[in-house]
Amino acid sequence: MFPSADRTGNHPWPAEAYPDRLAPIIRSGDDGPEIVQARWGMPTPPQYLPASGRDSGVTNIRNTSSPHWRRWIAPAHRCLVPIEAFSEPGKDRKPVWFEPARGEPMMFAGIEVRGWTSIRKVRDGETTDDLFGFLTCPPNAEVGAVHPKAMPVILRADEWQTWMSAPWDVAKMLQRPLPDGTLRILE
């Protein structure tokens, strides 16, 4: 599953991705998979928006049975987020980085929405953006030792196509931690 079109506009990929910033995702396009830049942070459920209406976005999605997320779990809204490593906050709040133990390619299981209008930053006013977030699940042993609450849903190469195209009753089975021993702390 490789993108047939690069729609990033020759923008360099960021070395690190942060919430509310652009990052590359692979999504379904009119002519097959395409790679684009999207803003990290899906729309916040309305009941959690502040009175100002500013929506800082939701970066991680765990409860896919929520009515707010159900509208975006179909294949048309699924995406892959390419990663080489990811971090979780350690005990001292400094990031602890994880990478695949055997160097295999991995991607986060994401969902995306195109052309969402909201106020992300008051100084920018209303903007219309393509947005994404990724699913989380309970942690495996390596991540759980640092962050016992959750970890991103990480897909291996043989799962990418299933995530992007399978019916939800099949794709939802991928919302689970990687097996213990498949990640290591990046020194």
Side-chain angles (χ1 to χ4, degrees):
M1 155 135 236
F2 290 99
S4 61
D6 181 346
R7 305 213 190 286
T8 59
N10 289 328
H11 290 283
W13 285 22
E16 297 176 358
Y18 294 98
D20 203 36
R21 298 216 181 130
L22 293 176
I25 64 168
I26 298 170
R27 68 184 187 189
S28 296
D30 293 337
D31 300 320
E34 60 185 13
I35 190 161
V36 301
Q37 297 269 19
R39 198 170 191 169
W40 183 9
M42 288 289 285
T44 301
Q47 66 268 30
Y48 299 112
L49 285 174
S52 69
R54 180 182 175 274
D55 185 354
S56 58
V58 177
T59 57
N60 305 329
I61 298 113
R62 183 144 188 201
N63 182 7
T64 54
S65 64
S66 161
H68 182 73
W69 301 120
R70 275 198 314 254
R71 62 182 148 170
W72 293 312
I73 59 174
H77 292 284
R78 293 188 207 146
C79 67
L80 297 167
V81 183
I83 61 165
E84 292 180 9
F86 69 96
S87 70
E88 294 291 353
K91 291 181 179 29
D92 58 2
R93 301 298 299 159
K94 290 184 180 172
V96 176
W97 288 88
F98 297 89
E99 67 180 357
R102 292 172 203 83
E104 64 272 17
M106 299 186 306
M107 296 202 201
F108 289 160
I111 58 174
E112 57 104 11
V113 62
R114 300 171 198 189
W116 188 265
T117 301
S118 62
I119 298 173
R120 303 294 286 213
K121 295 181 180 177
V122 174
R123 73 173 181 261
D124 294 342
E126 199 171 76
T127 62
T128 301
D129 303 286
D130 291 350
L131 306 173
F132 79 96
F134 54 82
L135 275 58
T136 62
C137 61
N140 69 0
E142 294 81 32
V143 176
V146 172
H147 190 260
K149 186 176 178 183
M151 71 177 284
V153 172
I154 301 171
L155 304 174
R156 294 187 241 177
D158 63 337
E159 299 168 326
W160 299 345
Q161 187 61 44
T162 301
W163 175 249
M164 293 297 288
S165 62
W168 182 242
D169 63 327
V170 173
K172 73 180 178 182
M173 304 309 288
L174 297 173
Q175 190 177 10
R176 49 56 179 137
L178 283 175
D180 295 346
T182 56
L183 295 170
R184 67 176 177 213
I185 292 178
L186 182 60
E187 299 298 332

